[in-house]
Amino acid sequence: MVRTPHDRWPDFVQVLTRRRTGEAPNRPSAIRIILTYRDEELLTLKRGRDSQTSTEHFDTIVVGAGFAGLYALHRMRGLGLDTKVIEAAPDVGGTWYWNRYPGARCDVESVEYCYSFSTEIDQEWSWTERYASQPEILKYLQFVADRLDLRCDILFETRVRSGHFNESENLWELTTSIGQKFTARYCIMASGNLTVPSLPNIPGIEDFAGEIIHTADWPSEPQDFSRKRVGVIGTGSSGCQVIPILAERAKELVVFQRTPNHCLPAHNGPIEPEYYSRLKQRYSELRRRWRSSPLGTSWPVGTRSAMDVSERERQAVYQHRWDVGGASIVASFDDLFISREANDSMADFVRGKVREIVDDSDVAEQLVPADHPMGAKRVTLVTNYYEAFNRDNVRLVAASRAPIKHAAEDGIVAGDELIPLDVLVCATGFDAITGALLRIDIRGRDDVRLKDLWQDGPETMLGLMVAGLPNMFIVTGPGSPSVLSNVVVSIEQHIDWIADCIEHLERKGFATIEAEPAAQQRWMAHVDEVAAMTLFPQAKSWYSGDNIEGKPSRFTVYVGGLQGYREALEGAAEAEYRDFVLTKSSVRDGAIA
Ligand code: NA7
């Protein structure tokens, strides 16, 4: 069974636990979640008894063992720093460990969604599909961990609860869920942008007698849905990937759609071996070329306005990119993210496709996305998503006509109808970008809490550091291109910057580095300024935190261009960390470089 650290479900589990106490439930949903919760508690108790009471010291602690954490460990070792990675899951993989729902797949092409720092890894590893599935990505990360012998420095099944900066010692003091204590001079937060699942707040959910599964915590044992009525809530990437598979496997499938999204065909398939061996011969050159392109990918990027070409040519361009597959349609012209008119021309094309594919015109109209600019919410890459609605066993329940009202013992009440279900799949997304960081009680200088610093939304310098939190580095944090770039590329770029920065501190004898508050303010003003020039803020999305109740809404992904961002990073390092404060002692205004 996949062990679910209970704070992945904080409120939900508490509700279930409270209400179920004393009952002898025969209700799988409650049982499943409570058991996984208890499992973690048992583990905590068991491990707590023999956990160390003394504090272990490291030069660097890395939080998370996904793409970022593994590479961070590799780089820190290269600097000769004694490093420990702390990871909540029982294995490496990060978000690719947990998101094991059927159909889970990356929306970036495999040959681009991988590390580039090692020629050996590049040559020894071979991707089998154009878009890698979750099991294959997980295998890749396991391969990398073994190849670089990383596991011995990773503490698995351990969650960092708090990180407090000790100003007199210039050390981060970390505590884990089972009370272990660590100190470190540097802390690298590789905790991921999409790692804290979000559950829908449905009244009466604790009464539902069926099983509830979140896509980001899919059971590892095989599930037989052939006699089950399955409901899926959510039609983002996870929902749109799992729905076509469940349509084939379940007796009945009900899709609860709140907002229709723009879905594009992935045209996934095996990678041709000849193509791949040719590519491998030129891997580094191709990578360099892709990464220096405006969007950091292999996509050809249009340099004209969508409105500067004839209707006929526009349609031909969109059709070509639709046929090629993937999300490159969003790069067809250079103004698709800044002009609503241009964006509408692309969205209209996709809307036309939905109407073509879906047989029932009424169902098609409900699936047509209309409320946000295309791409302002992440487009989803799909295989047979719209086609699934042509099956007799699949039903769409759109919130525009029948919003979910509450859960009942037998199912979900939407509109005035009780829809009977045996299983409820929540493909309801994540407390993205800031969620994993804010789950940890992080306190910097003067005991100031990250939670308070970010009460109106996250503020960082270049997405890497926060004023007041010395020697704490964030990988692909808010204020960087993060989730709107090829994340592996951004991860390598950030870890390399962090490693160079630490090397600089060590070489020059500095004790701390942190963002300079005024520079941080200027950077975030720039992040806001460029975002306001685009259509991104026009959508309510997880990019802005809008999917989480009570979370401040702020679009903090840097969309000012990857080239400019790279120059800002390099410029800061070349100018010996201009815009950062460096100290040689514990005193904040000590020797400043
Ligand atoms: P997303 O993209 O956040 O999608 C979540 C979906 O769940 C989305 O359709 C939401 O509708 C829906 N949702 C969320 N809460 C509810 C409630 N309470 N009721 C009904 N529907 C709800 O998450 P994914 O996991 O699909 O993808 C996240 C990223 O992971 C993806 O972009 C890739 O980068 C990988 P809404 O649109 O908010 O109306």
Side-chain angles (χ1 to χ4, degrees):
M1 185 197 298
V2 176
R3 224 174 249 132
T4 307
H6 66 269
D7 63 349
R8 284 165 69 82
W9 317 99
D11 304 330
F12 195 63
V13 168
Q14 275 166 24
V15 168
L16 286 173
T17 311
R18 203 171 49 242
R19 299 211 185 156
R20 291 271 176 233
T21 307
E23 289 185 29
N26 56 355
R27 301 177 173 186
S29 67
I31 292 169
R32 178 173 171 75
I33 292 175
I34 289 171
L35 278 184
T36 53
Y37 165 64
R38 284 187 184 152
D39 220 22
E40 168 79 4
E41 286 226 311
L42 285 176
L43 180 83
T44 304
L45 286 173
K46 187 172 145 274
R47 294 261 302 272
R49 271 202 297 272
D50 47 79
S51 73
Q52 104 261 2
T53 45
S54 58
T55 300
E56 263 190 275
H57 177 73
F58 292 91
D59 293 321
T60 310
I61 296 254
V62 178
V63 181
F67 269 99
L70 295 182
Y71 184 48
L73 173 56
H74 176 66
R75 285 300 318 261
M76 291 302 113
R77 276 183 182 174
L79 293 178
L81 296 177
D82 191 15
T83 301
K84 181 66 103 187
V85 178
I86 303 180
E87 165 60 54
D91 199 359
V92 299
T95 201
W96 294 109
Y97 175 85
W98 297 106
N99 282 269
R100 50 181 76 217
Y101 60 86
R105 206 171 271 293
C106 188
D107 60 7
V108 177
E109 296 203 26
S110 320
V111 294
E112 295 180 57
Y113 193 79
C114 48
Y115 294 119
S116 66
F117 66 86
S118 159
T119 318
E120 292 78 23
I121 288 173
D122 269 354
Q123 295 303 319
E124 289 168 26
W125 179 262
S126 292
W127 294 106
T128 63
E129 288 182 278
R130 180 177 176 192
Y131 293 95
S133 64
Q134 174 270 336
E136 191 167 25
I137 299 172
L138 188 57
K139 251 190 230 153
Y140 171 76
L141 289 169
Q142 289 166 338
F143 162 77
V144 172
D146 293 336
R147 183 70 176 70
L148 302 175
D149 192 22
L150 299 176
R151 287 176 197 277
C152 54
D153 288 324
I154 306 174
L155 183 60
F156 290 109
E157 293 187 290
T158 306
R159 181 169 288 277
V160 174
R161 285 268 173 244
S162 64
H164 297 176
F165 186 68
N166 177 330
E167 287 196 63
S168 56
E169 305 281 334
N170 282 331
L171 287 178
W172 279 97
E173 296 172 346
L174 289 103
T175 312
T176 72
S177 50
I178 61 167
Q180 294 146 294
K181 291 191 190 323
F182 298 93
T183 54
R185 292 192 291 136
Y186 307 109
C187 204
I188 300 180
M189 304 306 291
S191 42
N193 280 308
L194 293 160
T195 45
V196 179
S198 150
L199 276 157
N201 188 9
I202 301 175
I205 191 71
E206 67 278 8
D207 295 328
F208 178 58
E211 189 171 10
I212 301 176
I213 308 174
H214 194 287
T215 42
D217 189 27
W218 199 266
S220 48
E221 62 271 23
Q223 304 291 300
D224 179 6
F225 294 119
S226 58
R227 292 199 196 89
K228 299 210 171 144
R229 299 161 301 183
V230 179
V232 176
I233 301 184
T235 52
S237 295
S238 305
C240 295
Q241 287 184 338
V242 80
I243 284 164
I245 313 264
L246 292 178
E248 286 171 8
R249 295 186 188 170
K251 186 170 131 215
E252 287 169 26
L253 180 69
V254 182
V255 175
F256 295 93
Q257 170 194 268
R258 189 161 69 181
T259 316
N261 208 350
H262 302 87
C263 302
L264 301 166
H267 295 319
N268 185 38
I271 299 183
E272 290 291 322
E274 298 81 47
Y275 159 79
Y276 201 15
S277 69
R278 280 201 311 278
L279 181 137
K280 275 189 169 184
Q281 286 163 22
R282 301 173 51 216
Y283 222 166
S284 31
E285 174 214 327
L286 286 171
R287 278 228 188 82
R288 258 196 311 279
R289 198 188 316 153
W290 297 339
R291 290 177 182 187
S292 59
S293 90
L295 296 175
T297 75
S298 59
W299 300 345
V301 178
T303 51
R304 293 173 299 172
S305 158
M307 297 299 120
D308 280 352
V309 302
S310 67
E311 174 66 14
R312 195 186 157 99
E313 183 176 352
R314 212 164 31 237
Q315 294 305 312
V317 170
Y318 292 145
Q319 183 65 49
H320 171 70
R321 297 208 182 211
W322 177 274
D323 293 340
V324 168
S328 87
I329 194 170
V330 302
S332 302
F333 298 100
D334 69 3
D335 56 351
L336 293 173
F337 284 93
I338 50 176
S339 150
R340 188 66 197 245
E341 189 188 14
N343 187 283
D344 276 342
S345 73
M346 168 173 67
D348 279 343
F349 174 85
V350 173
R351 292 192 265 262
K353 290 294 180 192
V354 181
R355 295 181 178 112
E356 259 172 44
I357 299 169
V358 179
D359 295 340
D360 182 319
S361 57
D362 188 42
V363 173
E365 281 322 304
Q366 295 173 69
L367 287 166
V368 160
D371 81 315
H372 61 277
M374 180 171 157
K377 268 182 166 175
R378 199 176 184 92
V379 292
T380 70
L381 294 201
V382 294
T383 300
N384 296 330
Y385 173 66
Y386 291 122
E387 289 82 350
F389 293 92
N390 294 335
R391 296 174 63 102
D392 290 338
N393 68 332
V394 177
R395 175 181 172 196
L396 176 69
V397 176
S400 52
R401 302 209 184 153
I404 292 176
K405 283 193 175 156
H406 60 89
E409 182 164 353
D410 302 343
I412 292 286
V413 175
D416 295 328
E417 186 191 357
L418 169 68
I419 298 171
L421 295 174
D422 303 305
V423 180
L424 184 61
V425 172
C426 297
T428 42
F430 300 87
D431 182 354
I433 303 180
T434 56
L437 292 165
L438 292 175
R439 286 282 184 285
I440 301 171
D441 175 20
I442 295 176
R443 300 185 198 185
R445 290 198 190 277
D446 304 324
D447 214 29
V448 69
R449 291 165 194 257
L450 181 62
K451 209 189 253 176
D452 294 332
L453 290 173
W454 286 4
Q455 61 182 338
D456 299 324
E459 300 256 335
T460 69
M461 183 64 202
L462 295 166
L464 272 165
M465 296 203 88
V466 178
L469 305 183
N471 293 3
M472 177 172 276
F473 300 92
I474 303 172
V475 187
T476 62
S480 78
S482 70
V483 290
L484 279 170
S485 61
N486 175 339
V487 173
V488 185
V489 177
S490 295
I491 282 170
E492 286 189 321
Q493 183 184 48
H494 269 192
I495 303 283
D496 288 339
W497 191 94
I498 293 166
D500 291 349
C501 173
I502 291 178
E503 191 181 12
H504 176 84
L505 302 181
E506 297 283 306
R507 214 181 39 238
K508 302 257 174 152
F510 287 108
T512 65
I513 181 168
E514 66 198 279
E516 201 266 309
Q520 177 172 293
Q521 259 179 21
R522 281 196 303 277
W523 175 252
M524 291 312 293
H526 176 55
V527 171
D528 289 343
E529 182 193 3
V530 290
M533 292 159 71
T534 71
L535 303 175
F536 284 104
Q538 291 186 23
K540 285 197 167 306
S541 74
W542 60 260
Y543 291 148
S544 306
D546 299 318
N547 61 329
I548 302 295
E549 231 175 276
K551 198 169 170 175
S553 175
R554 186 168 180 191
F555 182 84
T556 51
V557 183
Y558 181 64
V559 285
L562 296 181
Q563 191 60 36
Y565 180 72
R566 193 177 303 122
E567 283 163 15
L569 280 184
E570 288 169 1
E574 277 159 21
E576 303 222 335
Y577 303 94
R578 171 192 67 204
D579 296 339
F580 292 83
V581 181
L582 290 86
T583 71
K584 285 205 166 165
S585 72
S586 59
V587 184
R588 204 172 320 176
D589 50 2
I592 296 176

